[in-house]
Amino acid sequence: MKRRTFLAGTVLAGATLLSTLLPAVGGIATASAASLTKVTFIQEWPVADGFWIPWILGKDKGFYAQEGIDLEIVAPPTVADTMKFLGTGRANVAFTTVMDIIFAKEQGAPVEAIGRYGKENNWGVISEQGKRYTVAELKGKSVGIYNDAWTKAQLALMLKSAGLTLNDVKMVTAADDTVPLLLQKRVDVITGITNAEGTEMTTTGKQQPEFLPAIAHGVPNTPIFMFAGNQQWLKANPQLAKAFMRATEKSIAYAVAHPDEGVQAFATAYSKAYDPIYIKQQWSDTIPLLSPVDSKSLQLDAAIWQSLLTAIKAEGIVKAPLPADQYFSNQYLP
């Protein structure tokens, strides 16, 4: 499974635009199509993946229609286009990464986070089954990485916790997927997240990978994925934005409680981009990051945002970050 980097700007060669309007055909009665308001929801990745299961299933069950929303789920042509669509108003809301939001704000884009997807940063160092390392033991080892600033910053912070620097390891850059580097034994460890690279190690590598969590070694515990909105649209449509977040929270809760139904909804919607073994495992690996689903599941925290901003400023990723509360708002949450 070819994975994303954490920052915008990486272009997926040959990617095509996938735009789908999923039918609301669940067992719940919904309002007529004429009475619904279209909300365009741009995704973080040009190819459908298991992270999208809640809103795919939620639309299918009629949760968005119940809130008066005709949800249009759109995949961008490249990973660099998600925030372009959101910032220019071609999309109303987005599923994106925390670093994409920060970089978009640095460029003056009218975007802000309106909810989190997951409760922690599940990035770290992954190694083959049975080959567990401490941070100190990474000295002299080869590390498969993605060529983006935040990946290197997180790795640098981890190494710093053991008195090491990036110069103490041999970094091997993957074009779009670190997992083959590890499976082909071209590196000792790779960087990645539990429900992407970790999932691929399980499905492709047929093993249970070892995971060294970054948050246990000096990296801020900021969830990687976020829901974001165009600020002009949010200001003009506050009730609609709240309705979107209510439906999304309900969709996440339902998808977590009904994993097989979620995987089947994904299969129906994206049969041509569907790897059943991977998607089922990816959703299984994602559920723990979302659970338990409660009133605070989507809530954003200023202290956690500030810890991230402090870290990226120290690493020179953003020279003059804004105050934490200028990047997000909780006012649209249920």
Side-chain angles (χ1 to χ4, degrees), residues 313-327:
K313 181 180 180 181
E315 294 298 321
I317 297 174
V318 175
K319 289 187 169 66
L322 301 170
D325 60 6
Q326 291 191 30
Y327 291 95

Side-chain angles (χ1 to χ4, degrees), residues 3-11 45 79 97-100 103 123 144-156 166 171-178 191-193 197 224 308 312 315-317:
R3 298 309 312 156
R4 77 214 72 223
T5 55
F6 289 103
L7 307 186
T10 302
V11 178
W45 192 243
V79 295
T97 72
V98 62
M99 289 305 301
D100 281 319
F103 271 82
W123 183 95
I145 68 165
Y146 295 109
N147 190 28
D148 65 89
W150 180 227
T151 290
K152 292 177 182 177
Q154 290 185 103
L155 181 58
L166 293 177
M171 292 183 288
V172 179
T173 302
D176 52 23
D177 191 359
T178 57
T191 60
I193 57 178
E197 288 78 12
I224 292 168
L308 171 62
I312 61 177
E315 294 298 321
I317 297 174

Side-chain angles (χ1 to χ4, degrees), residues 69-90:
I69 293 172
D70 177 11
L71 188 68
E72 181 186 33
I73 302 171
V74 179
T78 77
V79 295
D81 289 312
T82 298
M83 299 311 284
K84 292 178 185 177
F85 273 56
L86 188 66
T88 58
R90 283 183 285 173

